Amino acid sequence: MKHFTTDTLIYHYDKSIPNVGTVKQGEEFLVDTVDAYGNQITSEKVLRTEIDRSFLSGCTGPIGVEGAMPGDTLCVEILDITFDEYGVMPMSPGMGTLGHLDRVPGHSTKMVRVKDDYCYFDENIVFPVRPMIGNIGVASENEGGLRTSWPGDHGSNMDCTHITIGSKVYFPVAKEGAGLAMGDMHAAMGDGELCQTGVETPGHVRARAYVYKESIKRPMVETDENIFTLASAEKLDDAIPVAVEDMVDFLMKKKNLDYPDAYRLLSATCDIQICQLVNPRKTVRCRAPKAILGIHSVFD
Amino acid sequence: MKHFTTDTLIYHYDKSIPNVGTVKQGEEFLVDTVDAYGNQITSEKVLRTEIDRSFLSGCTGPIGVEGAMPGDTLCVEILDITFDEYGVMPMSPGMGTLGHLDRVPGHSTKMVRVKDDYCYFDENIVFPVRPMIGNIGVASENEGGLRTSWPGDHGSNMDCTHITIGSKVYFPVAKEGAGLAMGDMHAAMGDGELCQTGVETPGHVRARAYVYKESIKRPMVETDENIFTLASAEKLDDAIPVAVEDMVDFLMKKKNLDYPDAYRLLSATCDIQICQLVNPRKTVRCRAPKAILGIHSVFD
């Protein structure tokens, strides 16, 4: 199986960066990733203020996918995610959605052991892992690319909890081969990534990729139960209508409805949900339940 | 069983309005409600522009609960919700989260038949009912009260999809007897109420109420699986930190954690979610999963 290691990290989703290797459609491949802090926080003695910030949000890749051309859609199927045995949760004043409250007394780091599908938060609190890929994307069409900390129409740092084992993630392709990369694994994270970290860990992803000769504007995610449209913007109020309109357009096509009825059906059955509120752009998703709507997949 | 009918509707959650009746703690009672449009839209020929807007968001009550005093918490347990056989979904240009896009060509009304636990959207699209109470609250501590269209710390038009059969809803009490009221039933609605309506229907709620001699700042909702803190504000970015901070404080108390660890635990396990984006104030909720966190109830 082709194996992409952390020897080849990118810090921009940039179409000028050559792919480090190529996979065929449907071919399984393995990707190792560093944690969001570049594996620099190795104990509770290492604070977030002490690490080299130029190594934040490194992603493994870019990986070329044979046959992917600009205007196509790349589908990445996540077959498995495994973790190393630790996760980190650094904290500093000013972090996250409550940063303005000034209630964090100083810098600290918490190590969370991740073993046998559980996170050991402390001696009393143990919770199941909820594996997810925080950062996954393809080369951006922007000249010069976009930093891997920035989510956008090319994917990247979306922190969507539904990008997990069994999910399919769809991206608009901007260059030949697409240039897939990924990183920022979480052993657990709640929607919002509210304090600015999940249980951050290096990881290993087994995946395969397919190309559809159809276009999408922005990332979509498909699970057994749901289809999601995703959108990112600096302001939440700007991201939300983009994800909602993408879903209305999807419902119009899939259910052969006019705009008012697709908008009504969405309002009655679909949810607007938060992916993350803590990156330079915030990410939201609109959820459509497949069974309730009689929709089988993104492309069928 | 005491039965509160739509003969006594309020349009303000106002502590100066006398209760129309009183129930004992634990006593089951029945509440009939009108739909959000005051049952004025009786066919697809009646447009949203033609109805009397002074009858929007009428709620049945206020109902006194024996023993509830200012500073206490009122808990309302929802035992059952039933509907009449129709729902309405009016639409006008400018409505909902996509109102600014100007894609709605004109005014129209859709009637959705609600029967045997299904919503009949059209001849091809049928989906299960997801009963919920859009509007439920107690007398506001504000002098002069607050219009029933406004959600706030007293509850009201929160449009939370988890206020459903089996839920417990907690409110801070501002006057003796609390002054409970409810209305705005939905046979189905997605999180966000994205086009500005769910499947709007008159309904019948069977409930009972309890008083706790403890204080909360804002509404909370408890289901078999989750506990939610709710907050409403004109701007989403102002509502979110309020619901999140309430949950951090709740976790600190329940799990005996310091602030940084409660904030981390929340970030790893709890979700920020949207109730609605279309009322004069927007409502969000922070979700804590009970089993994963080992928390049994709001008060225990």
Side-chain angles (χ1 to χ4, degrees):
Chain A
M1 198 184 319
K2 278 187 186 152
H3 185 180
F4 299 91
T5 71
T6 57
D7 292 342
T8 59
L9 296 177
I10 60 167
Y11 297 91
H12 288 80
Y13 282 97
D14 179 349
K15 60 187 174 186
S16 74
I17 300 175
N19 294 330
V20 294
T22 298
V23 294
K24 290 185 169 43
Q25 288 187 51
E27 174 189 352
E28 285 188 27
F29 57 95
L30 193 66
V31 184
D32 296 338
T33 63
V34 293
D35 71 31
Y37 302 99
N39 295 359
Q40 294 178 88
I41 301 177
T42 51
S43 81
E44 298 200 342
K45 290 179 186 161
V46 182
L47 302 178
R48 191 168 157 275
T49 44
E50 295 165 349
I51 62 176
D52 184 340
R53 295 185 63 83
S54 61
F55 295 115
L56 297 185
S57 300
C59 289
T60 304
I63 300 164
V65 179
E66 271 188 25
M69 296 299 290
D72 294 346
T73 295
L74 183 75
C75 170
V76 182
E77 188 180 0
I78 312 301
L79 300 170
D80 198 21
I81 300 173
T82 57
F83 300 111
D84 293 349
E85 287 200 0
Y86 75 96
V88 297
M89 298 193 81
M91 167 101 33
S92 294
M95 272 178 71
T97 49
L98 302 185
H100 60 292
L101 297 180
D102 206 21
R103 289 181 65 179
V104 172
H107 305 283
S108 63
T109 291
K110 189 179 193 75
M111 304 296 287
V112 176
R113 195 157 63 95
V114 179
K115 192 166 166 52
D116 300 334
D117 295 335
Y118 284 87
C119 295
Y120 293 81
F121 187 80
D122 65 23
E123 58 191 11
N124 297 312
I125 301 174
V126 178
F127 50 83
V129 295
R130 288 172 65 202
M132 60 171 281
I133 304 175
N135 201 320
I136 182 168
V138 296
S140 163
E141 63 179 4
N142 286 51
E143 286 305 322
L146 284 171
R147 275 201 64 86
T148 45
S149 55
W150 280 64
D153 292 351
H154 63 303
S156 184
N157 198 12
M158 301 182 289
D159 285 312
C160 173
T161 50
H162 291 269
I163 301 182
T164 183
I165 300 164
S167 306
K168 294 174 180 171
V169 195
Y170 297 82
F171 303 98
V173 176
K175 80 161 187 180
E176 186 175 343
L180 173 69
M182 63 186 83
D184 191 19
M185 302 295 148
H186 297 139
M189 189 196 95
D191 283 341
E193 199 176 22
L194 295 164
C195 89
Q196 203 168 322
T197 85
V199 178
E200 308 285 333
T201 169
H204 313 277
V205 176
R206 190 160 54 84
R208 59 190 169 205
Y210 300 91
V211 175
Y212 290 89
K213 295 293 170 186
E214 305 204 41
S215 291
I216 57 173
K217 290 179 183 170
R218 272 167 289 278
M220 296 179 74
V221 173
E222 183 176 344
T223 63
D224 284 349
E225 294 184 350
N226 298 304
I227 289 171
F228 302 93
T229 52
L230 281 77
S232 300
E234 279 184 60
K235 294 184 179 176
L236 205 45
D237 288 332
D238 293 333
I240 288 168
V242 176
V244 173
E245 189 182 21
D246 282 353
M247 188 58 84
V248 173
D249 287 333
F250 182 75
L251 293 180
M252 287 175 73
K253 193 172 158 189
K254 285 284 183 179
K255 304 305 293 182
N256 195 27
L257 292 171
D258 63 15
Y259 179 85
D261 271 355
Y263 193 20
R264 285 184 177 102
L265 181 62
L266 167 128
S267 195
T269 61
C270 300
D271 299 317
I272 190 73
Q273 301 180 333
I274 305 287
C275 293
Q276 57 77 25
L277 299 175
V278 294
N279 297 333
R281 287 174 180 162
K282 296 168 180 174
T283 306
V284 304
R285 59 180 186 258
C286 188
R287 178 185 87 102
K290 286 160 77 170
I292 282 171
L293 291 167
I295 294 175
H296 305 296
S297 63
V298 170
F299 299 119
D300 59 4
Chain B
M1 198 182 323
K2 279 188 184 153
H3 185 178
F4 300 91
T5 71
T6 57
D7 292 342
T8 59
L9 297 177
I10 59 167
Y11 298 91
H12 288 80
Y13 282 97
D14 180 348
K15 59 187 174 183
S16 74
I17 301 175
N19 294 330
V20 293
T22 298
V23 295
K24 290 185 171 40
Q25 289 187 51
E27 174 188 351
E28 286 190 26
F29 57 96
L30 193 65
V31 184
D32 296 338
T33 63
V34 293
D35 72 30
Y37 303 99
N39 295 356
Q40 296 178 87
I41 301 177
T42 51
S43 81
E44 297 199 343
K45 289 180 186 160
V46 182
L47 302 178
R48 192 170 156 275
T49 44
E50 295 166 350
I51 62 176
D52 184 339
R53 296 186 61 82
S54 62
F55 295 115
L56 297 185
S57 301
C59 290
T60 305
I63 301 164
V65 180
E66 270 189 23
M69 296 298 291
D72 292 347
T73 296
L74 183 74
C75 170
V76 183
E77 188 179 1
I78 312 301
L79 300 170
D80 198 20
I81 301 173
T82 57
F83 300 111
D84 292 349
E85 288 199 359
Y86 76 95
V88 297
M89 298 192 81
M91 167 99 38
S92 295
M95 272 179 69
T97 50
L98 303 185
H100 59 293
L101 297 180
D102 205 22
R103 290 181 66 179
V104 172
H107 305 282
S108 62
T109 291
K110 187 176 195 76
M111 303 297 286
V112 176
R113 194 158 62 95
V114 178
K115 192 165 165 56
D116 299 334
D117 295 335
Y118 284 88
C119 295
Y120 294 81
F121 187 81
D122 65 23
E123 57 191 11
N124 298 311
I125 300 174
V126 179
F127 49 83
V129 296
R130 288 171 66 201
M132 60 171 281
I133 304 175
N135 201 322
I136 181 168
V138 295
S140 164
E141 63 178 3
N142 287 51
E143 286 305 322
L146 285 170
R147 274 199 66 85
T148 45
S149 55
W150 280 64
D153 293 352
H154 62 304
S156 182
N157 199 10
M158 302 183 288
D159 285 311
C160 174
T161 50
H162 291 269
I163 300 181
T164 182
I165 300 164
S167 306
K168 294 174 181 170
V169 195
Y170 298 82
F171 302 98
V173 175
K175 80 160 186 180
E176 186 175 344
L180 174 70
M182 62 187 85
D184 190 19
M185 302 295 149
H186 297 139
M189 188 196 95
D191 284 341
E193 199 174 23
L194 294 164
C195 88
Q196 206 169 320
T197 85
V199 178
E200 309 286 333
T201 169
H204 313 277
V205 176
R206 190 161 53 82
R208 58 190 168 204
Y210 299 91
V211 175
Y212 291 89
K213 295 292 170 187
E214 305 203 41
S215 291
I216 56 173
K217 291 179 182 171
R218 272 168 287 278
M220 296 179 74
V221 173
E222 183 176 345
T223 63
D224 283 349
E225 294 184 350
N226 298 304
I227 290 171
F228 301 92
T229 52
L230 281 78
S232 299
E234 278 185 60
K235 293 184 178 176
L236 204 46
D237 288 332
D238 293 333
I240 288 169
V242 175
V244 173
E245 188 183 21
D246 282 353
M247 187 57 85
V248 173
D249 287 333
F250 182 74
L251 293 181
M252 286 175 73
K253 192 171 158 189
K254 284 284 184 180
K255 303 305 291 182
N256 195 27
L257 292 171
D258 63 15
Y259 179 84
D261 271 356
Y263 193 19
R264 285 184 177 104
L265 181 62
L266 166 128
S267 194
T269 62
C270 299
D271 298 318
I272 189 74
Q273 301 180 333
I274 305 288
C275 293
Q276 57 76 25
L277 298 175
V278 294
N279 297 335
R281 288 173 179 162
K282 297 170 180 174
T283 306
V284 303
R285 60 181 184 258
C286 189
R287 178 185 87 102
K290 286 160 76 170
I292 281 171
L293 290 167
I295 294 174
H296 306 296
S297 62
V298 169
F299 298 118
D300 57 4

